[in-house]
Amino acid sequence: MSNINNYLAKVFEVPAEKVNLCSIQYELKKVGKHEMLLQEGEVCRNTFFVEKGLLRMYSIDKNGKEHVIQFAPENWLIGDRSSLYFNEKSRYYIEAVEDSEVLFLQPDFFSKLIEEFPNTIEKNDLIIQKHVKSLQDRINSLLGETAEERYLKFIKMYPDLLLRVPQWMIASYLGITPESLSRVRKELAKKNFVTDK
C-alpha cells in the first residue's frame, strides 16, 4: 500500500477497501533535486503529498534573503493555501530538497473526499485546526523564544531531517544565521556532555 493510501486510511479513516477510489484525484510525479513545484507569482494549483523525498517552502525578501517556511518529508502535505483557495499569486517557492516522488492532489481533493466519505469532514476540520495551531505556535516561537528553544522544537518536529538538510536551511527556518546555529549546537553538545558525565 502506498503512503497516501496509508495516510488516508489512518488519518481520515477511509475504508481500506475503498481507499484506491481516491487515486483519480491525484497524479504521482518524480521530481528532481532542486526542481521547483511552485514559483513566486504563480497561482498554486495543487496540494503536494510527499510519497518519498523532501520538499521545502520558502520566500525571498527584497534583500534576496531566503526564509524557509516549512519542510515536508515523507507523508507530509505542503502547498500555498492562500494561493490555492483564494486564487491569489503566490509569495512562495516550493522546491525539492532531494529527488522526490510527489503526489499532485487536485484542488478539490479534500472536498471530493468529504463528498465520497462524509465521516471524513471532522478529520479534515481537525487537520486544518492543527495546521492553524502549528502556524500560531511558529509565529510565537519566532517572536519570543531563544534560538536554542527554537532549535529543540525543530528537532522535535523534524527528527529525521538533521542529516538531510543543509545547516543554512535549518538556520533560515529558525530565523537565525548559520553561525548562530553553529553556536547553539556547540552549547547543546556541551550541556549533553556534562549531563552524560
Side-chain angles (χ1 to χ4, degrees), residues 37-38 44-50 55-57 69-72 76-85 90 92-94 131 135:
L37 286 78
L38 178 69
C44 187
R45 300 297 182 193
N46 303 95
T47 299
F48 307 104
F49 178 88
V50 183
L55 306 180
R56 69 173 178 133
M57 183 164 73
I69 308 300
Q70 180 188 349
F71 292 103
W76 280 58
L77 293 164
I78 191 170
D80 182 351
R81 298 180 71 90
S82 295
S83 179
L84 185 66
Y85 289 98
S90 181
Y92 303 105
Y93 299 83
I94 296 179
H131 180 68
L135 291 176

Coordinates of all heavy atoms in Angstrom, one line a residue, residues 37-38 44-50 55-57 69-72 76-85 90 92-94 131 135:
L37 N 8.4 23.2 -7.7 CA 7.0 22.8 -7.9 C 6.1 24.1 -7.9 O 4.9 24.0 -8.4 CB 6.5 21.9 -6.8 CG 7.0 20.5 -6.9 CD1 8.5 20.3 -6.4 CD2 6.2 19.5 -6.0
L38 N 6.6 25.2 -7.3 CA 5.8 26.4 -7.3 C 6.8 27.6 -7.3 O 7.9 27.5 -6.6 CB 4.9 26.5 -6.1 CG 4.1 27.8 -5.9 CD1 3.0 27.9 -6.9 CD2 3.5 27.8 -4.5
C44 N -0.9 28.7 -7.1 CA -0.8 27.3 -6.7 C -2.0 26.5 -7.1 O -3.1 26.9 -6.8 CB -0.6 27.3 -5.2 SG -0.1 25.6 -4.6
R45 N -1.8 25.5 -7.9 CA -2.9 24.7 -8.4 C -3.1 23.3 -7.7 O -4.0 22.6 -8.0 CB -2.7 24.4 -9.9 CG -2.7 25.7 -10.7 CD -4.0 26.5 -10.7 NE -3.9 27.7 -11.5 CZ -4.8 28.6 -11.5 NH1 -5.8 28.6 -10.6 NH2 -4.7 29.7 -12.3
N46 N -2.1 23.0 -6.9 CA -2.2 21.7 -6.2 C -1.7 21.7 -4.8 O -1.0 22.6 -4.4 CB -1.2 20.7 -6.9 CG -1.5 20.5 -8.4 OD1 -0.9 21.2 -9.2 ND2 -2.5 19.6 -8.7
T47 N -2.2 20.8 -4.0 CA -1.6 20.5 -2.7 C -0.6 19.3 -3.0 O -1.0 18.4 -3.8 CB -2.6 20.1 -1.6 OG1 -3.5 21.2 -1.4 CG2 -1.9 19.7 -0.3
F48 N 0.5 19.3 -2.4 CA 1.5 18.2 -2.6 C 1.7 17.3 -1.4 O 1.8 17.7 -0.3 CB 2.9 18.9 -3.0 CG 2.8 19.9 -4.1 CD1 2.9 21.2 -3.8 CD2 2.7 19.5 -5.4 CE1 2.8 22.2 -4.8 CE2 2.6 20.5 -6.4 CZ 2.6 21.8 -6.1
F49 N 1.6 16.0 -1.7 CA 1.8 15.0 -0.7 C 3.1 14.2 -1.1 O 3.3 13.8 -2.2 CB 0.6 14.0 -0.7 CG 0.8 12.9 0.3 CD1 0.4 13.0 1.6 CD2 1.4 11.7 0.0 CE1 0.6 12.0 2.6 CE2 1.6 10.6 0.9 CZ 1.2 10.8 2.2
V50 N 4.0 14.2 -0.1 CA 5.3 13.6 -0.3 C 5.3 12.1 -0.1 O 5.2 11.6 1.1 CB 6.4 14.3 0.5 CG1 7.8 13.7 0.2 CG2 6.4 15.8 0.3
L55 N 10.5 18.1 0.4 CA 10.3 19.4 -0.2 C 10.5 20.5 0.9 O 10.4 20.3 2.1 CB 8.9 19.5 -0.7 CG 8.4 18.4 -1.7 CD1 6.9 18.7 -2.1 CD2 9.3 18.3 -2.9
R56 N 10.6 21.7 0.4 CA 10.6 22.9 1.3 C 9.8 24.0 0.7 O 9.8 24.1 -0.6 CB 12.0 23.3 1.7 CG 12.8 24.0 0.5 CD 14.1 24.6 1.0 NE 14.8 25.1 -0.2 CZ 15.4 26.3 -0.2 NH1 15.3 27.1 0.9 NH2 16.0 26.8 -1.3
M57 N 9.2 24.9 1.5 CA 8.5 26.1 1.0 C 9.3 27.3 1.6 O 9.6 27.3 2.8 CB 7.1 26.1 1.4 CG 6.3 27.3 0.9 SD 4.5 27.2 1.0 CE 4.2 27.3 2.7
I69 N 9.8 28.5 5.3 CA 8.6 28.5 6.0 C 8.2 27.1 6.5 O 7.8 26.9 7.7 CB 7.4 28.9 5.1 CG1 7.7 30.2 4.4 CG2 6.1 29.0 5.9 CD1 8.0 31.4 5.3
Q70 N 8.5 26.1 5.7 CA 8.1 24.7 6.1 C 9.0 23.7 5.3 O 9.4 23.9 4.2 CB 6.6 24.5 5.7 CG 6.1 23.1 6.1 CD 4.7 22.8 5.6 OE1 4.0 23.7 5.1 NE2 4.3 21.6 5.6
F71 N 9.2 22.6 6.0 CA 9.8 21.4 5.3 C 8.7 20.3 5.2 O 7.8 20.3 6.1 CB 11.0 20.8 6.1 CG 12.2 21.7 6.1 CD1 12.5 22.4 7.2 CD2 13.0 21.7 5.0 CE1 13.6 23.2 7.2 CE2 14.2 22.6 5.0 CZ 14.5 23.3 6.1
A72 N 8.7 19.5 4.2 CA 7.8 18.4 4.0 C 8.5 17.1 3.7 O 8.8 16.9 2.5 CB 6.7 18.8 3.0
W76 N 4.0 14.0 4.5 CA 3.6 15.4 4.8 C 2.9 16.0 3.6 O 3.2 15.7 2.4 CB 4.8 16.2 5.2 CG 5.2 16.0 6.6 CD1 5.6 14.9 7.2 CD2 5.4 17.1 7.6 NE1 6.0 15.1 8.5 CE2 5.9 16.4 8.8 CE3 5.2 18.4 7.6 CZ2 6.1 17.1 9.9 CZ3 5.4 19.1 8.8 CH2 5.9 18.5 9.9
L77 N 1.9 16.9 3.9 CA 1.3 17.7 2.9 C 1.9 19.1 2.9 O 2.3 19.6 3.9 CB -0.2 17.9 3.2 CG -1.1 16.6 3.1 CD1 -2.4 16.9 3.8 CD2 -1.3 16.3 1.6
I78 N 2.0 19.7 1.7 CA 2.6 21.1 1.6 C 1.9 21.8 0.4 O 1.5 21.2 -0.6 CB 4.1 21.1 1.5 CG1 4.7 22.5 1.7 CG2 4.5 20.5 0.1 CD1 6.2 22.5 1.8
G79 N 1.7 23.1 0.6 CA 1.1 23.9 -0.5 C 0.9 25.3 0.0 O 0.9 25.6 1.2
D80 N 0.6 26.2 -0.9 CA 0.3 27.6 -0.5 C -1.2 27.7 -0.5 O -1.9 27.8 -1.5 CB 0.9 28.6 -1.5 CG 0.6 30.0 -1.2 OD1 -0.2 30.3 -0.2 OD2 1.1 30.9 -1.8
R81 N -1.8 27.6 0.7 CA -3.2 27.5 0.9 C -3.9 28.8 0.4 O -4.9 28.8 -0.2 CB -3.6 27.2 2.4 CG -3.1 25.9 2.9 CD -3.4 25.7 4.3 NE -4.9 25.4 4.5 CZ -5.4 24.2 4.4 NH1 -4.7 23.2 4.2 NH2 -6.7 24.1 4.6
S82 N -3.3 30.0 0.7 CA -3.9 31.2 0.3 C -4.0 31.3 -1.2 O -5.0 31.7 -1.7 CB -3.0 32.4 0.8 OG -3.0 32.5 2.2
S83 N -2.9 30.9 -1.9 CA -3.0 30.9 -3.4 C -4.0 29.9 -3.9 O -4.7 30.2 -4.8 CB -1.6 30.6 -3.9 OG -1.5 30.6 -5.3
L84 N -3.9 28.7 -3.3 CA -4.8 27.6 -3.8 C -6.3 28.0 -3.6 O -7.1 27.8 -4.5 CB -4.4 26.3 -3.1 CG -5.1 25.1 -3.5 CD1 -4.7 24.7 -4.9 CD2 -4.8 23.9 -2.5
Y85 N -6.6 28.4 -2.4 CA -8.1 28.6 -2.1 C -8.6 30.0 -2.5 O -9.8 30.1 -2.7 CB -8.3 28.3 -0.6 CG -8.2 26.9 -0.3 CD1 -7.0 26.4 0.2 CD2 -9.2 26.0 -0.6 CE1 -6.9 25.0 0.5 CE2 -9.1 24.7 -0.3 CZ -7.9 24.2 0.3 OH -7.8 22.8 0.5
S90 N 1.1 33.4 -5.7 CA 1.8 33.0 -4.5 C 3.0 33.9 -4.2 O 3.6 34.5 -5.1 CB 2.3 31.6 -4.7 OG 3.0 31.1 -3.6
Y92 N 5.4 32.5 -2.4 CA 6.3 31.4 -2.0 C 6.9 30.6 -3.2 O 6.3 30.6 -4.3 CB 5.6 30.5 -1.0 CG 5.1 31.2 0.2 CD1 3.7 31.4 0.3 CD2 5.9 31.7 1.2 CE1 3.2 32.1 1.4 CE2 5.4 32.4 2.3 CZ 4.1 32.6 2.4 OH 3.6 33.3 3.5
Y93 N 7.9 29.9 -2.8 CA 8.5 28.9 -3.7 C 8.4 27.5 -3.0 O 8.5 27.5 -1.8 CB 10.0 29.1 -4.0 CG 10.3 30.5 -4.6 CD1 10.4 31.6 -3.9 CD2 10.6 30.5 -6.0 CE1 10.7 32.9 -4.5 CE2 10.8 31.8 -6.6 CZ 10.9 32.9 -5.8 OH 11.2 34.1 -6.4
I94 N 8.1 26.5 -3.8 CA 8.2 25.1 -3.2 C 9.2 24.4 -4.1 O 9.1 24.3 -5.3 CB 6.8 24.4 -3.2 CG1 5.9 25.2 -2.3 CG2 7.0 23.0 -2.8 CD1 4.5 24.6 -2.2
H131 N -3.2 22.6 11.8 CA -2.3 23.4 11.0 C -2.3 24.9 11.4 O -1.2 25.5 11.5 CB -2.8 23.4 9.5 CG -2.0 24.2 8.6 ND1 -0.7 23.8 8.2 CD2 -2.3 25.3 7.8 CE1 -0.2 24.7 7.4 NE2 -1.1 25.6 7.1
L135 N 0.9 27.0 13.0 CA 1.4 28.3 12.5 C 1.4 29.3 13.6 O 2.4 30.1 13.7 CB 0.4 28.8 11.3 CG 0.5 28.0 10.0 CD1 -0.6 28.6 9.1 CD2 1.9 28.1 9.4

